[in-house]
Amino acid sequence: MTIARLGVVGGGLMGSGITEVGARAGLSVVTVEVDDDAAKRAAERVEASLRKAEQRGKLTADDVAATLERVTFTADLEALADRDLVVEAASEDERTKLDLFRTLGSILESDDAVLASNTSSIPIVKLGAVSGRADRVMGVHFFNPAPVMRLVELIPSLTTSPETLQRMQTFVSETLGKEPIEATDRAGFVVNSLLVPYLLSAIRMYEAGYASAADIDSGMVLGCGHPMGPLALADLIGLDTVRAIGVSMYEEFKEPLYSPPPVLDRMVEAGLLGKKSGHGFYPYDR
């Protein structure tokens, strides 16, 4: 059961990245946003990324043109009806995702079509339960920036069929050329279960006045050889996303290290979300 038609719900940083990955792999891609303006911004985001790849010599002008021809941007969820695989990359809000899976499960025409979520922490089994096709629902978690990062976490739930998991393993490794790892359906999966407590610890250190954001980040870059400091990384991920993952993990495990610090709550409430909003722990040129 070859996957040739990909659908993506959400055209933000992750959704546009997944769109680009699929289109560069030769797939027909339909990306759905909340309205026409958001769909236009998603199209611009994908084209800008492709042009950067062209400037770096990774793609030719013909490659860029051919890739863009394979993508359609729309605000109509019904446009996903004929897709072989739909990856949901909406905001990290459980109610939003449940509503989407309930709707998508009724839209998809093929009984073989797979529904996947790019969630970082929300239980996959819940999404499958509302979809009406629980055996064909699983987590397929890309990392930002999706066109560059090679890892994809695959998260089957208790109700995901072995055939669906095998199909996604083949799709990720052979069609997309990325490296899949399998994780159990627990909040945080593999990477975020390790990464998010580290990020939250750095935020607590900043909140307590141990050091400036720049010095905390320099300490980890220069002292531990990390490519990016934890606060800059939190800004890149999005502080609202970091907070949402922490909340989800704390609700499941009740471990204090997963609980978002008060300063993170305040920054999210103030709209200081990191790079995507123009300001987080650092200012950014939007």
Side-chain angles (χ1 to χ4, degrees), residues 100-119:
L100 277 170
F101 271 73
R102 190 176 291 110
T103 301
L104 290 168
S106 65
I107 287 175
L108 290 175
E109 295 171 349
S110 172
D111 289 339
D112 294 326
V114 175
L115 266 174
S117 178
N118 188 60
T119 181

Side-chain angles (χ1 to χ4, degrees), residues 11-23:
L13 287 176
M14 289 308 306
S16 62
I18 296 166
T19 296
E20 180 181 340
V21 168

